Coordinates of all heavy atoms in Angstrom, one line a residue:
M1 N 16.9 9.3 -5.2 CA 15.6 8.7 -5.6 C 14.9 8.2 -4.3 O 15.5 7.5 -3.5 CB 16.0 7.4 -6.5 CG 14.8 6.5 -6.8 SD 15.3 5.0 -7.7 CE 15.1 3.8 -6.4
A2 N 13.7 8.6 -4.2 CA 12.9 8.1 -3.1 C 12.5 6.7 -3.3 O 12.4 6.2 -4.5 CB 11.6 9.0 -3.0
K3 N 12.3 5.9 -2.3 CA 12.0 4.5 -2.5 C 11.0 4.0 -1.5 O 10.7 4.6 -0.5 CB 13.3 3.7 -2.3 CG 13.9 3.8 -1.0 CD 15.2 3.1 -0.9 CE 15.7 3.1 0.5 NZ 17.1 3.0 0.8
I4 N 10.4 2.9 -2.0 CA 9.4 2.2 -1.2 C 9.9 0.7 -1.1 O 10.4 0.2 -2.1 CB 8.0 2.1 -1.8 CG1 7.5 3.5 -2.1 CG2 7.1 1.3 -1.0 CD1 6.0 3.4 -2.6
I5 N 9.9 0.2 0.1 CA 10.2 -1.2 0.3 C 9.0 -2.0 0.4 O 8.1 -1.8 1.3 CB 11.1 -1.5 1.6 CG1 12.2 -0.4 1.7 CG2 11.6 -2.9 1.6 CD1 13.2 -0.4 0.7
V6 N 8.8 -3.0 -0.5 CA 7.6 -3.8 -0.5 C 8.0 -5.2 -0.2 O 8.8 -5.8 -0.9 CB 6.8 -3.7 -1.9 CG1 5.6 -4.6 -1.8 CG2 6.5 -2.3 -2.2
T7 N 7.4 -5.8 0.8 CA 7.6 -7.2 1.1 C 6.5 -8.0 0.4 O 5.3 -7.7 0.7 CB 7.6 -7.5 2.6 OG1 8.5 -6.5 3.2 CG2 8.0 -8.9 3.0
D8 N 6.9 -9.0 -0.4 CA 5.9 -9.8 -1.1 C 5.4 -10.9 -0.2 O 5.8 -11.0 1.0 CB 6.4 -10.3 -2.4 CG 7.5 -11.3 -2.3 OD1 7.6 -11.9 -1.2 OD2 8.2 -11.5 -3.3
R9 N 4.5 -11.7 -0.7 CA 3.9 -12.8 0.1 C 4.8 -14.0 0.4 O 4.5 -14.8 1.2 CB 2.6 -13.3 -0.6 CG 1.6 -12.2 -0.7 CD 0.2 -12.6 -1.3 NE -0.6 -11.4 -1.6 CZ -0.7 -10.9 -2.8 NH1 -0.1 -11.4 -3.8 NH2 -1.5 -9.8 -2.9
D10 N 6.0 -14.0 -0.2 CA 7.0 -14.9 0.2 C 8.0 -14.4 1.2 O 9.0 -15.0 1.5 CB 7.7 -15.4 -1.1 CG 6.8 -16.1 -2.1 OD1 5.9 -16.9 -1.6 OD2 7.0 -15.9 -3.3
G11 N 7.8 -13.1 1.6 CA 8.7 -12.5 2.6 C 9.9 -11.9 1.9 O 10.8 -11.5 2.6
V12 N 9.9 -11.7 0.6 CA 11.0 -11.2 -0.1 C 10.8 -9.6 -0.2 O 9.7 -9.2 -0.6 CB 11.2 -11.8 -1.5 CG1 12.3 -11.1 -2.3 CG2 11.4 -13.3 -1.4
D13 N 11.8 -8.9 0.1 CA 11.7 -7.4 0.0 C 12.1 -6.9 -1.4 O 13.0 -7.4 -2.0 CB 12.7 -6.7 1.0 CG 12.3 -6.8 2.4 OD1 11.1 -7.2 2.6 OD2 13.1 -6.6 3.3
H14 N 11.4 -6.0 -1.9 CA 11.6 -5.3 -3.2 C 11.8 -3.8 -2.9 O 10.9 -3.2 -2.3 CB 10.5 -5.6 -4.1 CG 10.2 -7.0 -4.4 ND1 10.7 -7.8 -5.4 CD2 9.5 -7.9 -3.6 CE1 10.3 -9.0 -5.3 NE2 9.5 -9.1 -4.3
E15 N 12.9 -3.3 -3.4 CA 13.0 -1.9 -3.3 C 12.6 -1.2 -4.6 O 13.1 -1.5 -5.7 CB 14.5 -1.6 -3.1 CG 14.8 -0.1 -2.7 CD 16.2 0.2 -2.3 OE1 16.8 -0.5 -1.5 OE2 16.8 1.0 -3.0
L16 N 11.5 -0.4 -4.5 CA 11.0 0.2 -5.7 C 11.2 1.7 -5.7 O 11.3 2.3 -4.6 CB 9.5 0.0 -5.8 CG 9.0 -1.5 -5.6 CD1 7.5 -1.5 -5.7 CD2 9.6 -2.4 -6.5
E17 N 11.2 2.3 -6.8 CA 11.3 3.8 -6.9 C 10.0 4.4 -6.5 O 9.0 4.0 -7.0 CB 11.7 4.2 -8.3 CG 11.8 5.7 -8.4 CD 12.1 6.2 -9.8 OE1 12.3 5.4 -10.7 OE2 12.0 7.4 -10.0
G18 N 10.0 5.3 -5.5 CA 8.8 5.9 -5.0 C 8.5 7.1 -5.9 O 9.3 8.1 -5.8
K19 N 7.5 7.0 -6.7 CA 7.2 8.1 -7.6 C 6.2 9.1 -6.9 O 5.1 8.7 -6.6 CB 6.7 7.6 -8.9 CG 7.7 6.7 -9.6 CD 7.1 6.1 -10.9 CE 8.2 5.3 -11.5 NZ 7.7 3.9 -11.9
E20 N 6.6 10.3 -6.8 CA 5.8 11.3 -6.2 C 4.5 11.5 -6.9 O 4.5 11.6 -8.2 CB 6.6 12.6 -6.1 CG 7.2 12.9 -4.7 CD 7.8 14.3 -4.8 OE1 7.1 15.3 -4.6 OE2 9.1 14.3 -5.0
G21 N 3.4 11.6 -6.2 CA 2.1 11.8 -6.8 C 1.4 10.6 -7.3 O 0.3 10.6 -7.7
W22 N 2.2 9.5 -7.3 CA 1.6 8.2 -7.6 C 1.0 7.6 -6.4 O 1.5 7.8 -5.3 CB 2.6 7.2 -8.2 CG 3.1 7.4 -9.5 CD1 3.4 8.6 -10.1 CD2 3.4 6.5 -10.6 NE1 3.8 8.5 -11.4 CE2 3.8 7.1 -11.7 CE3 3.3 5.1 -10.6 CZ2 4.2 6.5 -12.9 CZ3 3.6 4.4 -11.7 CH2 4.1 5.1 -12.9
K23 N -0.1 6.8 -6.6 CA -0.6 6.0 -5.5 C 0.4 4.8 -5.2 O 1.0 4.3 -6.2 CB -2.0 5.4 -5.8 CG -3.0 6.5 -6.2 CD -3.3 7.5 -5.1 CE -4.4 8.4 -5.6 NZ -4.7 9.5 -4.7
V24 N 0.4 4.5 -4.0 CA 1.4 3.4 -3.6 C 0.9 2.1 -4.4 O 1.8 1.3 -4.9 CB 1.3 3.1 -2.1 CG1 2.0 1.8 -1.7 CG2 2.0 4.3 -1.4
M25 N -0.3 1.9 -4.6 CA -0.8 0.7 -5.4 C -0.2 0.8 -6.8 O 0.3 -0.2 -7.4 CB -2.3 0.7 -5.5 CG -2.9 -0.4 -6.4 SD -2.9 0.1 -8.2 CE -4.4 1.0 -8.3
E26 N -0.2 2.0 -7.4 CA 0.3 2.1 -8.8 C 1.8 1.8 -8.9 O 2.2 1.2 -9.9 CB 0.0 3.5 -9.3 CG -1.4 3.9 -9.4 CD -1.7 5.3 -9.7 OE1 -1.0 6.2 -9.2 OE2 -2.7 5.6 -10.4
I27 N 2.5 2.2 -7.9 CA 3.9 1.9 -7.9 C 4.2 0.4 -7.8 O 5.0 -0.1 -8.5 CB 4.6 2.7 -6.7 CG1 4.5 4.2 -6.9 CG2 6.1 2.3 -6.5 CD1 4.9 5.1 -5.7
I28 N 3.4 -0.2 -6.9 CA 3.6 -1.7 -6.7 C 3.2 -2.4 -8.0 O 3.9 -3.3 -8.5 CB 2.7 -2.2 -5.5 CG1 3.2 -1.5 -4.2 CG2 2.7 -3.7 -5.5 CD1 2.3 -1.8 -3.0
R29 N 2.1 -2.0 -8.6 CA 1.6 -2.7 -9.8 C 2.6 -2.4 -11.0 O 2.9 -3.3 -11.7 CB 0.2 -2.1 -10.2 CG -0.5 -2.8 -11.3 CD -1.8 -2.2 -11.5 NE -1.8 -0.8 -11.9 CZ -2.8 0.0 -12.1 NH1 -4.0 -0.5 -12.0 NH2 -2.7 1.3 -12.5
D30 N 3.1 -1.2 -11.1 CA 4.0 -0.9 -12.2 C 5.3 -1.7 -12.1 O 5.9 -1.9 -13.1 CB 4.3 0.7 -12.1 CG 4.9 1.2 -13.3 OD1 4.3 1.1 -14.4 OD2 6.0 1.7 -13.3
A31 N 5.6 -2.1 -10.9 CA 6.9 -2.9 -10.7 C 6.6 -4.3 -11.0 O 7.6 -5.1 -11.0 CB 7.4 -2.7 -9.3
G32 N 5.4 -4.7 -11.3 CA 5.1 -6.0 -11.7 C 4.9 -7.0 -10.5 O 4.9 -8.2 -10.6
L33 N 4.8 -6.4 -9.3 CA 4.5 -7.2 -8.1 C 3.0 -7.7 -8.1 O 2.2 -7.0 -8.7 CB 4.9 -6.5 -6.8 CG 6.4 -6.2 -6.7 CD1 6.6 -5.4 -5.4 CD2 7.1 -7.5 -6.6
P34 N 2.7 -8.8 -7.5 CA 1.4 -9.3 -7.6 C 0.4 -8.6 -6.6 O 0.1 -9.1 -5.6 CB 1.6 -10.8 -7.2 CG 2.7 -10.8 -6.2 CD 3.6 -9.7 -6.7
I35 N -0.1 -7.5 -7.1 CA -1.2 -6.8 -6.4 C -2.4 -6.8 -7.4 O -2.2 -6.4 -8.5 CB -0.8 -5.4 -5.9 CG1 -1.8 -4.9 -5.0 CG2 -0.4 -4.5 -7.1 CD1 -1.2 -3.8 -4.1
E36 N -3.5 -7.3 -7.0 CA -4.6 -7.4 -8.0 C -5.2 -6.1 -8.3 O -5.4 -5.8 -9.5 CB -5.7 -8.3 -7.4 CG -6.7 -8.7 -8.5 CD -7.8 -9.6 -8.0 OE1 -7.6 -10.2 -6.9 OE2 -8.8 -9.7 -8.7
A37 N -5.5 -5.2 -7.4 CA -6.1 -3.9 -7.6 C -7.2 -4.0 -8.7 O -7.2 -3.2 -9.7 CB -5.0 -2.9 -8.1
A38 N -8.1 -4.9 -8.4 CA -9.2 -5.2 -9.4 C -9.9 -4.0 -9.9 O -10.4 -3.9 -11.0 CB -10.1 -6.2 -8.9
C39 N -10.2 -3.0 -9.0 CA -11.0 -1.9 -9.4 C -10.2 -0.7 -10.0 O -10.8 0.3 -10.4 CB -11.8 -1.4 -8.2 SG -10.9 -0.4 -7.1
G40 N -8.9 -0.9 -10.1 CA -8.1 0.1 -10.7 C -7.8 1.3 -9.9 O -7.4 2.3 -10.4
G41 N -8.2 1.2 -8.6 CA -7.8 2.4 -7.7 C -9.0 3.2 -7.3 O -8.9 4.3 -6.8
C42 N -10.2 2.7 -7.5 CA -11.5 3.4 -7.2 C -12.0 3.2 -5.8 O -13.1 3.6 -5.5 CB -12.6 3.0 -8.2 SG -12.1 3.3 -9.9
C43 N -11.2 2.5 -5.0 CA -11.6 2.2 -3.6 C -12.9 1.4 -3.6 O -13.8 1.6 -2.8 CB -11.8 3.5 -2.8 SG -11.8 3.3 -1.0
A44 N -12.9 0.4 -4.5 CA -14.1 -0.4 -4.6 C -13.9 -1.9 -4.6 O -14.8 -2.7 -5.0 CB -14.9 0.0 -5.9
C45 N -12.7 -2.3 -4.2 CA -12.4 -3.8 -4.3 C -11.6 -4.3 -3.1 O -11.8 -5.5 -2.8 CB -11.7 -4.1 -5.6 SG -10.0 -3.6 -5.6
A46 N -10.8 -3.5 -2.5 CA -10.0 -4.0 -1.4 C -8.9 -5.0 -1.8 O -8.3 -5.6 -0.9 CB -10.8 -4.5 -0.2
T47 N -8.6 -5.2 -3.1 CA -7.6 -6.1 -3.5 C -6.2 -5.4 -3.6 O -5.3 -6.0 -4.2 CB -7.9 -6.9 -4.8 OG1 -8.1 -5.9 -5.8 CG2 -9.2 -7.7 -4.6
C48 N -6.1 -4.2 -3.1 CA -4.8 -3.5 -3.1 C -4.4 -3.4 -1.6 O -3.6 -2.5 -1.3 CB -4.9 -2.2 -3.7 SG -6.1 -1.1 -2.9
H49 N -4.9 -4.3 -0.8 CA -4.7 -4.3 0.7 C -3.2 -4.5 1.0 O -2.6 -5.5 0.5 CB -5.5 -5.4 1.2 CG -5.5 -5.5 2.7 ND1 -6.0 -6.7 3.3 CD2 -5.0 -4.8 3.7 CE1 -5.8 -6.5 4.6 NE2 -5.2 -5.4 4.9
V50 N -2.6 -3.6 1.8 CA -1.2 -3.8 2.3 C -1.2 -3.5 3.8 O -2.1 -2.9 4.4 CB -0.2 -2.8 1.6 CG1 -0.2 -3.1 0.1 CG2 -0.5 -1.4 1.9
Y51 N -0.2 -4.0 4.4 CA 0.1 -3.7 5.8 C 1.3 -2.7 5.9 O 2.3 -2.9 5.2 CB 0.5 -4.9 6.6 CG -0.5 -6.0 6.6 CD1 -0.2 -7.3 6.1 CD2 -1.8 -5.8 7.0 CE1 -1.1 -8.3 6.0 CE2 -2.7 -6.8 6.9 CZ -2.4 -8.1 6.4 OH -3.3 -9.1 6.4
V52 N 1.1 -1.6 6.6 CA 2.1 -0.6 6.7 C 3.0 -0.8 7.9 O 2.5 -1.2 9.0 CB 1.4 0.8 6.9 CG1 2.4 1.9 7.1 CG2 0.5 1.1 5.7
D53 N 4.3 -0.8 7.6 CA 5.3 -1.0 8.7 C 5.0 -0.1 9.9 O 4.6 1.1 9.7 CB 6.7 -0.7 8.1 CG 7.8 -1.1 9.0 OD1 8.1 -2.3 9.0 OD2 8.3 -0.2 9.8
A54 N 5.2 -0.6 11.1 CA 4.8 0.1 12.3 C 5.5 1.5 12.4 O 4.9 2.4 12.8 CB 5.3 -0.7 13.5
D55 N 6.7 1.6 11.9 CA 7.4 2.9 11.9 C 6.7 4.0 11.0 O 6.9 5.2 11.2 CB 8.8 2.8 11.4 CG 9.7 2.0 12.3 OD1 9.3 1.9 13.5 OD2 10.8 1.6 11.9
W56 N 5.8 3.5 10.1 CA 5.2 4.4 9.2 C 3.8 4.7 9.4 O 3.2 5.6 8.9 CB 5.4 3.9 7.7 CG 6.8 4.1 7.3 CD1 7.9 3.3 7.4 CD2 7.3 5.3 6.7 NE1 9.0 3.9 6.9 CE2 8.7 5.1 6.5 CE3 6.7 6.5 6.4 CZ2 9.5 6.1 5.9 CZ3 7.5 7.6 5.8 CH2 8.9 7.3 5.6
Q57 N 3.2 3.9 10.3 CA 1.7 3.9 10.5 C 1.2 5.3 10.8 O 0.2 5.7 10.2 CB 1.4 2.9 11.6 CG 0.3 2.0 11.2 CD 0.0 1.1 12.4 OE1 0.9 0.5 13.0 NE2 -1.3 0.9 12.7
D58 N 1.9 6.0 11.7 CA 1.4 7.3 12.1 C 1.8 8.4 11.2 O 1.4 9.6 11.4 CB 2.0 7.6 13.5 CG 1.5 6.6 14.6 OD1 0.4 6.0 14.3 OD2 2.2 6.5 15.6
K59 N 2.7 8.1 10.3 CA 3.2 9.2 9.4 C 2.3 9.4 8.1 O 2.5 10.3 7.4 CB 4.6 8.9 9.0 CG 5.5 8.9 10.1 CD 7.0 8.7 9.7 CE 7.9 8.6 10.9 NZ 8.9 7.6 10.8
L60 N 1.4 8.4 7.9 CA 0.6 8.5 6.7 C -0.7 9.2 7.1 O -1.2 9.1 8.2 CB 0.2 7.2 6.2 CG 1.4 6.3 5.8 CD1 0.9 5.0 5.2 CD2 2.4 7.0 4.8
N61 N -1.3 9.9 6.1 CA -2.7 10.4 6.4 C -3.6 9.3 6.8 O -3.5 8.2 6.2 CB -3.2 11.1 5.1 CG -2.4 12.3 4.8 OD1 -1.8 12.9 5.7 ND2 -2.5 12.7 3.5
A62 N -4.5 9.5 7.7 CA -5.4 8.4 8.1 C -6.4 8.1 7.0 O -6.6 8.9 6.1 CB -6.2 8.9 9.3
A63 N -6.9 6.9 7.0 CA -7.8 6.4 6.0 C -9.1 7.3 6.1 O -9.5 7.5 7.2 CB -8.1 4.9 6.2
D64 N -9.7 7.6 5.0 CA -11.0 8.3 5.1 C -12.1 7.3 5.2 O -11.9 6.1 5.3 CB -11.2 9.2 3.9 CG -11.2 8.5 2.6 OD1 -11.4 7.3 2.6 OD2 -11.1 9.1 1.5
E65 N -13.3 7.8 5.3 CA -14.4 6.9 5.6 C -14.6 5.9 4.5 O -14.9 4.7 4.8 CB -15.7 7.8 5.8 CG -16.7 7.2 6.6 CD -17.9 8.1 6.8 OE1 -17.7 9.3 6.9 OE2 -19.0 7.5 6.6
E66 N -14.5 6.3 3.3 CA -14.7 5.4 2.1 C -13.7 4.3 2.2 O -14.1 3.1 2.0 CB -14.5 6.2 0.9 CG -15.0 5.6 -0.4 CD -14.7 6.4 -1.6 OE1 -14.0 7.5 -1.5 OE2 -15.1 6.0 -2.7
E67 N -12.5 4.6 2.5 CA -11.4 3.5 2.6 C -11.7 2.6 3.8 O -11.6 1.4 3.7 CB -10.0 4.2 2.7 CG -8.9 3.1 2.8 CD -7.5 3.7 3.0 OE1 -7.4 4.9 2.9 OE2 -6.6 2.9 3.3
A68 N -12.1 3.2 4.9 CA -12.4 2.4 6.1 C -13.5 1.4 5.8 O -13.5 0.3 6.2 CB -12.7 3.3 7.3
D69 N -14.6 1.9 5.1 CA -15.7 1.1 4.8 C -15.3 -0.1 3.9 O -15.7 -1.2 4.1 CB -16.8 1.9 4.1 CG -17.5 2.8 5.0 OD1 -17.3 2.6 6.3 OD2 -18.3 3.6 4.5
M70 N -14.4 0.2 2.9 CA -14.0 -0.9 2.0 C -13.1 -1.8 2.8 O -13.1 -3.0 2.5 CB -13.3 -0.2 0.8 CG -13.0 -1.1 -0.3 SD -14.4 -2.2 -0.9 CE -15.6 -1.0 -1.4
L71 N -12.2 -1.3 3.7 CA -11.3 -2.2 4.4 C -12.1 -3.2 5.3 O -11.7 -4.3 5.6 CB -10.4 -1.3 5.3 CG -9.0 -1.1 4.8 CD1 -8.3 -0.1 5.7 CD2 -8.2 -2.3 4.5
D72 N -13.3 -2.7 5.7 CA -14.2 -3.6 6.5 C -14.5 -4.9 5.8 O -14.8 -5.9 6.3 CB -15.5 -2.9 6.9 CG -15.3 -2.0 8.0 OD1 -14.3 -2.1 8.7 OD2 -16.2 -1.1 8.2
L73 N -14.4 -4.8 4.5 CA -14.8 -6.0 3.6 C -13.6 -6.8 3.3 O -13.7 -7.9 2.7 CB -15.5 -5.5 2.3 CG -16.7 -4.7 2.5 CD1 -17.2 -4.2 1.1 CD2 -17.8 -5.4 3.2
A74 N -12.4 -6.4 3.6 CA -11.2 -7.1 3.3 C -11.0 -8.2 4.3 O -11.5 -8.2 5.3 CB -10.0 -6.1 3.3
L75 N -10.1 -9.2 3.9 CA -9.8 -10.3 4.7 C -8.5 -10.0 5.5 O -7.7 -9.2 5.0 CB -9.6 -11.5 3.9 CG -10.7 -12.0 3.0 CD1 -10.3 -13.2 2.2 CD2 -11.9 -12.4 3.9
D76 N -8.3 -10.6 6.6 CA -7.1 -10.4 7.4 C -6.7 -9.0 7.7 O -5.6 -8.6 7.6 CB -5.9 -11.1 6.7 CG -6.2 -12.6 6.5 OD1 -6.5 -13.3 7.4 OD2 -6.1 -13.1 5.3
V77 N -7.7 -8.2 8.0 CA -7.5 -6.8 8.3 C -6.8 -6.7 9.7 O -7.1 -7.4 10.6 CB -8.8 -6.0 8.3 CG1 -8.5 -4.6 8.7 CG2 -9.4 -6.0 6.9
Q78 N -5.8 -5.8 9.7 CA -5.0 -5.5 11.0 C -5.1 -4.0 11.2 O -5.5 -3.3 10.3 CB -3.6 -6.0 10.8 CG -3.4 -7.4 10.4 CD -1.9 -7.8 10.3 OE1 -1.0 -7.0 10.4 NE2 -1.7 -9.1 9.9
D79 N -4.6 -3.6 12.4 CA -4.5 -2.2 12.7 C -3.8 -1.4 11.7 O -4.1 -0.2 11.4 CB -3.8 -2.0 14.0 CG -4.7 -2.3 15.2 OD1 -5.9 -2.5 15.0 OD2 -4.2 -2.4 16.3
N80 N -2.8 -2.0 11.0 CA -1.9 -1.3 10.1 C -2.4 -1.5 8.6 O -1.6 -1.3 7.7 CB -0.5 -1.7 10.3 CG -0.3 -3.2 10.1 OD1 -1.2 -4.0 10.1 ND2 1.0 -3.5 10.0
S81 N -3.6 -2.0 8.5 CA -4.1 -2.2 7.1 C -4.4 -0.9 6.4 O -5.0 0.0 7.0 CB -5.4 -3.1 7.1 OG -5.1 -4.4 7.4
R82 N -4.1 -0.9 5.1 CA -4.5 0.3 4.3 C -4.8 -0.3 2.9 O -4.3 -1.3 2.5 CB -3.3 1.3 4.2 CG -3.0 2.1 5.4 CD -4.2 2.9 5.9 NE -4.7 3.9 5.0 CZ -4.3 5.2 4.9 NH1 -3.4 5.6 5.7 NH2 -4.8 6.0 4.0
L83 N -5.6 0.5 2.2 CA -5.8 0.2 0.7 C -4.7 1.1 0.0 O -4.8 2.3 0.1 CB -7.2 0.6 0.3 CG -8.3 -0.3 1.0 CD1 -9.6 0.1 0.4 CD2 -8.0 -1.8 0.7
S84 N -3.8 0.4 -0.7 CA -2.7 1.2 -1.2 C -3.0 2.1 -2.3 O -2.3 3.0 -2.6 CB -1.6 0.2 -1.7 OG -2.0 -0.7 -2.6
C85 N -4.3 2.0 -2.9 CA -4.7 2.9 -3.9 C -5.1 4.2 -3.3 O -5.4 5.2 -4.1 CB -5.7 2.3 -4.8 SG -7.4 2.2 -4.0
Q86 N -5.3 4.2 -2.0 CA -5.7 5.4 -1.4 C -4.6 6.2 -0.6 O -4.8 7.1 0.1 CB -6.8 5.1 -0.4 CG -8.1 4.4 -1.0 CD -8.7 5.3 -2.1 OE1 -9.1 6.5 -1.8 NE2 -8.8 4.8 -3.3
V87 N -3.4 5.7 -0.8 CA -2.2 6.3 -0.2 C -1.3 6.9 -1.3 O -0.8 6.2 -2.1 CB -1.4 5.3 0.6 CG1 -0.2 6.0 1.3 CG2 -2.3 4.6 1.6
E88 N -1.3 8.2 -1.4 CA -0.4 8.9 -2.4 C 1.0 9.0 -1.9 O 1.2 9.5 -0.7 CB -1.0 10.2 -2.7 CG -0.3 10.9 -3.8 CD -1.0 12.2 -4.3 OE1 -2.2 12.2 -4.4 OE2 -0.3 13.2 -4.4
F89 N 1.9 8.7 -2.7 CA 3.3 8.8 -2.3 C 3.8 10.2 -2.4 O 3.6 10.9 -3.4 CB 4.2 7.9 -3.2 CG 5.6 7.7 -2.7 CD1 5.9 6.9 -1.7 CD2 6.6 8.5 -3.2 CE1 7.2 6.8 -1.2 CE2 7.9 8.4 -2.7 CZ 8.2 7.6 -1.7
T90 N 4.5 10.7 -1.3 CA 5.1 12.0 -1.4 C 6.6 11.8 -1.0 O 7.0 10.8 -0.5 CB 4.4 12.9 -0.3 OG1 4.7 12.4 1.0 CG2 2.9 13.0 -0.5
A91 N 7.3 12.9 -1.2 CA 8.7 12.9 -1.0 C 9.0 12.5 0.5 O 10.0 11.9 0.8 CB 9.4 14.2 -1.3
A92 N 8.1 13.0 1.4 CA 8.3 12.7 2.8 C 8.2 11.3 3.2 O 8.5 10.8 4.3 CB 7.3 13.5 3.6
M93 N 7.7 10.5 2.2 CA 7.5 9.0 2.5 C 8.7 8.2 2.0 O 8.6 6.9 1.9 CB 6.2 8.6 1.9 CG 5.0 9.1 2.7 SD 3.5 9.3 1.7 CE 3.2 7.5 1.3
D94 N 9.8 8.8 1.7 CA 11.0 8.1 1.3 C 11.3 7.0 2.3 O 11.5 7.3 3.5 CB 12.2 9.0 1.1 CG 13.4 8.3 0.6 OD1 13.3 7.2 0.0 OD2 14.5 8.9 0.8
G95 N 11.4 5.7 1.8 CA 11.7 4.6 2.7 C 10.5 3.9 3.3 O 10.7 3.0 4.1
L96 N 9.4 4.3 2.9 CA 8.1 3.7 3.3 C 8.2 2.1 3.1 O 8.7 1.7 2.1 CB 6.9 4.2 2.5 CG 5.6 3.5 2.7 CD1 5.0 3.8 4.0 CD2 4.6 3.9 1.6
K97 N 7.7 1.4 4.1 CA 7.7 -0.1 4.1 C 6.3 -0.6 4.2 O 5.6 -0.2 5.1 CB 8.6 -0.7 5.2 CG 10.1 -0.5 5.0 CD 10.8 -1.1 6.1 CE 11.0 -2.6 6.0 NZ 11.9 -3.1 7.0
V98 N 5.9 -1.4 3.2 CA 4.6 -2.0 3.3 C 4.8 -3.5 2.9 O 5.7 -3.9 2.3 CB 3.6 -1.4 2.3 CG1 3.4 0.1 2.6 CG2 4.0 -1.6 0.9
T99 N 3.8 -4.3 3.3 CA 3.8 -5.7 3.0 C 2.5 -6.1 2.3 O 1.4 -5.6 2.7 CB 3.9 -6.5 4.4 OG1 5.1 -6.2 5.0 CG2 3.8 -8.0 4.1
L100 N 2.6 -6.8 1.3 CA 1.3 -7.2 0.6 C 0.5 -8.1 1.5 O 1.0 -9.1 2.0 CB 1.7 -8.0 -0.7 CG 2.5 -7.2 -1.8 CD1 2.7 -8.1 -3.0 CD2 1.8 -5.9 -2.2
A101 N -0.8 -7.8 1.6 CA -1.7 -8.7 2.4 C -2.0 -10.0 1.6 O -1.8 -10.0 0.4 CB -2.9 -7.9 2.7
P102 N -2.4 -11.0 2.3 CA -2.7 -12.2 1.5 C -3.8 -12.0 0.5 O -4.7 -11.1 0.7 CB -3.3 -13.2 2.7 CG -2.8 -12.6 3.9 CD -2.6 -11.2 3.7
E103 N -3.8 -12.8 -0.5 CA -4.9 -12.6 -1.6 C -6.2 -13.0 -1.1 O -6.4 -14.0 -0.3 CB -4.5 -13.4 -2.8 CG -3.4 -12.7 -3.6 CD -3.0 -13.5 -4.9 OE1 -2.4 -14.6 -4.7 OE2 -3.3 -13.0 -5.9
Ligands
FES201 S1 -7.5 -1.0 -6.2 FE1 -9.5 -1.4 -5.6 S2 -9.7 -0.6 -3.6 FE2 -7.7 -0.2 -4.2

C-alpha cells in the first residue's frame, strides 16, 4: 500500500493510504483530517494549502500558473507551499510527507 504521511496542526503525524489518481487534498479530506478545501478542488480558495517535506519538493510536478496565482493569496506561504488539490498522487509518491498549513 502506498502511503502519505500528513502532519496535522498539532504536529501529530497521520499515515494515510495514498490512493493513486486521487488529489492529495482528497486523500487528506477522506481521512477526516481538518483540511477545509472550500472550493472542492477547483483551485479557487487556497484552503487546501500544505507544506511539502523538503525531500519531496523537487519530486513533484511544479505548480502551474493557476495554482501559483492562487497561492499568492494564501497566508503563511513558504517555498514548499502547494495547493494539495492540485497535486495528484501517483505510485512514485509513496511515502510523500506534507504538513497542513495554518488555517
Ligand atoms: S480546494 Fe480550493 S484551492 Fe484547493
Side-chain angles (χ1 to χ4, degrees):
M1 170 185 111
K3 60 184 187 205
I4 301 186
I5 315 294
V6 180
T7 307
D8 68 20
R9 298 185 188 96
D10 296 321
V12 178
D13 286 346
H14 302 263
E15 189 176 305
L16 311 181
E17 181 182 351
K19 297 177 179 132
E20 259 181 84
W22 286 41
K23 305 298 184 185
V24 170
M25 175 278 277
E26 295 171 327
I27 294 169
I28 296 170
R29 187 180 60 182
D30 195 58
L33 293 178
I35 191 158
E36 189 181 343
C39 77
C42 304
C43 199
C45 72
T47 60
C48 62
H49 181 193
V50 298
Y51 303 122
V52 175
D53 189 83
D55 289 345
W56 284 93
Q57 232 181 312
D58 297 336
K59 295 182 185 142
L60 304 184
N61 293 338
D64 63 15
E65 206 180 316
E66 197 184 2
E67 180 183 349
D69 286 350
M70 191 47 62
L71 263 176
D72 281 344
L73 304 176
L75 301 173
D76 300 310
V77 174
Q78 303 177 2
D79 283 351
N80 59 344
S81 287
R82 292 297 303 265
L83 295 181
S84 58
C85 73
Q86 300 300 304
V87 181
E88 183 173 317
F89 190 80
T90 65
M93 286 155 67
D94 182 19
L96 174 69
K97 286 179 83 172
V98 302
T99 300
L100 299 183
E103 283 181 290

